Amino acid sequence: MKVRAVMCDGYRLRVTTWGSGSPHAIVLPGLSADGRSLAPQIRALRRTVGSVHVVELPGFGLRPALRVRDAKFSNLARYVAHVADELRVDRALLVGHSLGGGVSLHLALERPDLVDGLVLLAPAALGRSLHWIYKLYCLPLIGRALLRPHGKVSKPYARRFLVGSARRSDDHFLSMLVRHGSDSRDRALSTRAIVWANQPSWWRRLILFGLPGGEQIGFAIGDRLGDLADVPTLVLWGNEDRVICAADAQRLREHARAEIHIARGVGHMLPLEAAAWTNAHIARFVAHTGASRRVDSTRGVGQHPRTVGFVRHADRLRNIR
């Protein structure tokens, strides 16, 4: 395992890499999350591809926190593309959960040359709606209060909003989610920056505030979905997701190369709630799309001259080994 920091526009993105050579997989965790939220998928990918790179956005792993002016989805996708270029990754399978799925979609639109395929786990940016509380996050004073740095997510919150009925009574599982939480100030500020940077315009927010839905209008890819028709895509979702509605997957029904599967009794933490189910679909998808473990000794993931070494957080990822 190699951990490094890649510089871009004055920010540092933490990248954790397992393996070397092609084919490559780039893994993008959800909002305010890290590689532990996708640990089962990382372990599975390591058995099927040459290199797995987990990319954490600015502020989520390393200081400084994201500023609002830099936190548009299109800019987050540009940061990830920069990481791929720095690591000399020509093409990769993108695996994204929630926010990471939305960034993957934007990256596939802006840099199609980089993308071998998409694995989207309850992704943002497909539909119109999020949980209703997102509207409060977008109000200046209320949003600042709700998104202020605070303690880790509580077990009642995880039970009520993050998991489905199949794991809702699993106290051990809920305790694990709480342990994975973070009280980092920089992570909270970066989360707030992403929420605020990707809001609809003021007049549209006023119109939508009293109406259901519309929370994703500011960053949904909308009619551009057709541009991904040639990209092999796997979409996995939980039917009890209370953060991003699984009905958004229906927008991909017209996407010729999209494969969609919905897990029953599963919520937003699909990668951990239904790890075996998720991994089985990913393994089959990778095999079907032709990605297999091929070690290319001439094109490893050696450190680029502009890449800064960084290894302090390795002990936090032991459970992925």
Side-chain angles (χ1 to χ4, degrees):
M1 181 179 72
K2 180 181 293 186
V3 185
R4 69 199 85 189
V6 175
M7 302 296 299
C8 186
D9 294 353
Y11 293 115
R12 297 188 298 166
L13 290 86
R14 186 162 63 191
V15 185
T16 307
T17 297
W18 287 267
S20 62
S22 60
H24 299 271
I26 294 177
V27 178
L28 302 174
L31 190 66
S32 195
D34 57 29
R36 292 173 296 177
S37 64
L38 290 160
Q41 290 70 51
I42 295 169
R43 286 194 293 265
L45 286 167
R46 289 172 58 199
R47 294 192 290 268
T48 58
V49 301
S51 306
V52 180
H53 314 279
V54 179
V55 180
E56 295 176 66
L57 296 171
F60 292 161
L62 303 173
R63 291 183 172 183
L66 269 170
R67 295 181 290 271
V68 174
R69 68 171 184 261
D70 299 324
K72 284 279 192 181
F73 266 74
S74 56
N75 210 43
L76 301 180
R78 184 175 65 84
Y79 290 154
V80 177
H82 177 81
V83 168
D85 292 340
E86 290 290 289
L87 299 182
R88 297 189 176 95
V89 174
D90 291 333
R91 296 185 67 82
L93 173 72
L94 302 184
V95 181
H97 174 228
S98 192
L99 168 72
V103 173
S104 296
L105 285 165
H106 279 265
L107 179 55
L109 289 169
E110 300 302 325
R111 286 284 305 273
D113 60 294
L114 181 62
V115 180
D116 262 338
L118 291 169
V119 175
L120 307 173
L121 311 176
L126 275 181
R128 290 175 52 90
S129 301
L130 289 172
H131 193 277
W132 62 267
I133 200 172
Y134 193 86
K135 281 190 170 70
L136 299 181
Y137 290 159
C138 294
L139 297 177
L141 295 179
I142 297 175
R144 184 177 295 275
L146 292 174
L147 294 172
R148 72 187 187 282
H150 53 73
K152 296 181 179 181
V153 63
S154 67
K155 193 177 295 186
Y157 178 89
R159 179 181 288 112
R160 181 175 178 81
F161 294 108
L162 298 183
V163 303
S165 56
R167 304 300 291 268
R168 198 165 288 150
S169 300
D170 187 338
D171 196 66
H172 176 75
F173 180 76
L174 294 173
S175 296
M176 178 190 68
L177 291 183
V178 171
R179 289 196 302 272
H180 285 185
S182 171
D183 55 5
S184 164
R185 181 175 184 274
D186 290 295
R187 187 171 291 191
L189 293 177
S190 292
T191 296
R192 188 164 72 188
I194 291 172
V195 170
W196 286 357
N198 294 284
Q199 303 172 50
S201 60
W202 271 108
W203 67 268
R204 182 168 285 184
R205 260 181 283 165
L206 290 174
I207 293 174
L208 293 172
F209 188 77
L211 302 173
E215 293 85 359
Q216 295 195 71
I217 285 178
F219 54 89
I221 62 174
D223 295 337
R224 300 184 68 192
L225 190 59
D227 295 340
L228 301 176
D230 294 328
V231 181
T233 303
L234 173 67
V235 182
L236 304 178
W237 226 306
N239 74 321
E240 295 182 8
D241 194 325
R242 300 190 65 186
V243 178
I244 310 176
C245 182
D248 287 355
Q250 298 301 321
R251 296 209 63 229
L252 282 165
R253 291 293 182 192
E254 298 178 2
H255 181 25
R257 303 194 68 181
E259 179 182 338
I260 301 170
H261 299 278
I262 309 296
R264 299 189 62 81
V266 175
H268 193 61
M269 298 308 296
L270 166 77
L272 296 175
E273 290 180 72
W277 180 89
T278 301
N279 287 353
H281 281 296
I282 293 176
R284 186 178 48 76
F285 176 76
V286 170
H288 179 71
T289 54
S292 60
R293 187 173 179 84
R294 303 185 304 272
V295 177
D296 185 345
S297 60
T298 66
R299 296 193 68 256
V301 289
Q303 185 169 322
H304 190 277
R306 292 176 61 192
T307 301
V308 181
F310 189 88
V311 297
R312 278 190 305 187
H313 93 310
D315 57 329
R316 295 178 58 211
L317 297 177
R318 286 175 184 165
N319 63 322
I320 306 178
R321 294 183 179 179

